[in-house]
């Protein structure tokens, strides 16, 4: 998962409150200040803090991420972080929301501008698997950490499931677009293709994140071949005679 700096567009699948968990002191404070919230400088600073938190989580893991670690990475005092988020857990949820929300919003804007349905699917798969590459700066490690955290945290679990729904919607919309153009077959419902597409991405992505030496041959570019394998499987699902 790549944490782009683009903010989610209102109403998009990835648009969420990235300022903190619902009910946290930070979110309660913004609602209680006449609706104006913090100034733009404060907003930019908080976004930078969230991006710093994402880097720390990817490097250390969610369980080992503390206010002090994010303070050291961001240059923002612990007291300010506590004011922004209230608790360490709320900071983690806010960081995951920021990362997933910005990525999904950017990807949605990207694929919506494409007229070719197969190009849309290719972009979605390539973007997702690039995030799992061992050389990616945060990427799939944040996805994996969010799953791990969500197993024990109901709020994070709900967020992770909504993220999955957003990714599946992007794929399903591309499939429907292709069916309407006569490019794709109707052997499988768009929702089924979307579920299988994301399952294929994760099934290839996790070994990529682990740098599995058995995934590809010696010297092969793992993430490129993983993309090719996933797309080959999707072509079969979308064949006109399927």
């Amino acid at each position: 998962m790549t944490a782009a700096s683009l903010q989610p567009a209102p109403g998009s699948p990835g648009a969420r409150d990235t300022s903190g968990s619902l009910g946290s002191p930070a979110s309660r404070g913004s609602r209680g200040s006449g609706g104006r919230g913090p100034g733009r400088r404060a907003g930019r600073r908080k976004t930078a803090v969230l991006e710093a938190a994402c880097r720390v989580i990817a490097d250390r893991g969610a369980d080992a991420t503390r206010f002090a670690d994010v303070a050291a990475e961001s240059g923002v005092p612990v007291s300010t972080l506590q004011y922004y988020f209230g608790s360490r857990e709320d900071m983690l949820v806010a960081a995951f929301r920021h990362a997933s929300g910005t990525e999904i919003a950017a990807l949605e804007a990207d694929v919506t501008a494409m007229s070719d349905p197969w190009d849309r699917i290719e972009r979605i798969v390539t973007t997702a698997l690039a995030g799992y590459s061992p050389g990616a700066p945060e990427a799939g490690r944040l996805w994996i950490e969010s799953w791990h955290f969500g197993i024990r945290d109901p709020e994070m679990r709900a967020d992770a499931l909504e993220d999955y729904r957003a990714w599946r919607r992007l794929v399903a919309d591309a499939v429907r677009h292709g069916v309407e153009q006569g490019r794709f077959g109707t052997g499988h419902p768009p929702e089924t293709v979307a579920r299988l597409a994301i399952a294929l991405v994760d099934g290839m992505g996790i070994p990529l994140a682990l740098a599995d030496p058995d995934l590809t041959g010696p010297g092969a570019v793992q993430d490129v071949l993983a993309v090719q394998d996933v797309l080959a499987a999707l072509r079969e699902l979308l064949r006109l005679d399927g």
Side-chain angles (χ1 to χ4, degrees):
M1 191 167 55
T2 54
S5 60
L6 176 68
Q7 288 297 324
S12 71
R16 294 218 194 134
D17 174 13
T18 60
S19 61
S21 287
L22 294 175
S24 70
S27 61
R28 285 199 302 270
S30 65
R31 285 195 293 268
S33 59
R36 293 188 301 174
R40 282 177 292 181
R41 181 180 297 178
R44 288 194 296 269
R45 189 184 194 195
K46 192 167 185 180
T47 297
V49 166
L50 289 168
E51 291 170 353
C54 289
R55 293 192 295 272
V56 174
I57 293 168
D59 181 55
R60 297 175 59 89
D63 288 345
T65 295
R66 302 290 182 264
F67 277 132
D69 305 315
V70 178
E73 177 69 21
S74 65
V76 174
V78 169
S79 59
T80 302
L81 298 179
Q82 291 171 329
Y83 172 76
Y84 280 162
F85 305 109
S87 71
R88 185 189 77 93
E89 289 73 19
D90 280 354
M91 178 180 68
L92 294 174
V93 170
F96 286 129
R97 284 178 176 170
H98 173 77
S100 63
T102 52
E103 179 184 36
I104 292 169
L107 181 59
E108 181 185 37
D110 196 15
V111 300
T112 299
M114 296 177 173
S115 58
D116 187 287
W118 182 253
D119 286 348
R120 291 186 182 189
I121 290 174
E122 193 171 46
R123 182 62 57 86
I124 294 166
V125 170
T126 302
T127 299
L129 280 172
Y132 281 111
S133 172
E138 291 124 27
R141 282 176 289 177
L142 283 172
W143 278 74
I144 295 169
E145 286 296 326
S146 72
W147 302 335
H148 178 65
F149 191 68
I151 289 173
R152 301 179 307 280
D153 186 275
E155 187 174 5
M156 190 64 245
R157 185 184 310 125
D159 282 356
L161 293 174
E162 180 54 34
D163 290 340
Y164 264 112
R165 283 189 283 270
W167 280 88
R168 290 196 297 264
R169 280 195 294 270
L170 289 175
V171 177
D173 286 347
V175 172
R176 276 189 286 270
H177 187 49
V179 170
E180 290 167 1
Q181 290 186 359
R183 297 280 305 280
F184 300 156
T186 57
H188 305 283
E191 293 75 16
T192 299
V193 176
R195 285 196 298 272
L196 292 173
I198 300 306
L200 285 166
V201 164
D202 285 342
M204 296 296 283
I206 293 172
L208 273 177
L210 294 172
D212 183 353
D214 297 327
L215 188 63
T216 60
V221 181
Q222 289 183 316
D223 55 338
V224 172
L225 292 181
V227 168
Q228 293 174 353
D229 288 343
V230 171
L231 292 177
L234 292 178
R235 283 192 189 95
E236 288 298 310
L237 289 172
L238 295 170
R239 280 169 41 183
L240 280 172
D241 60 352

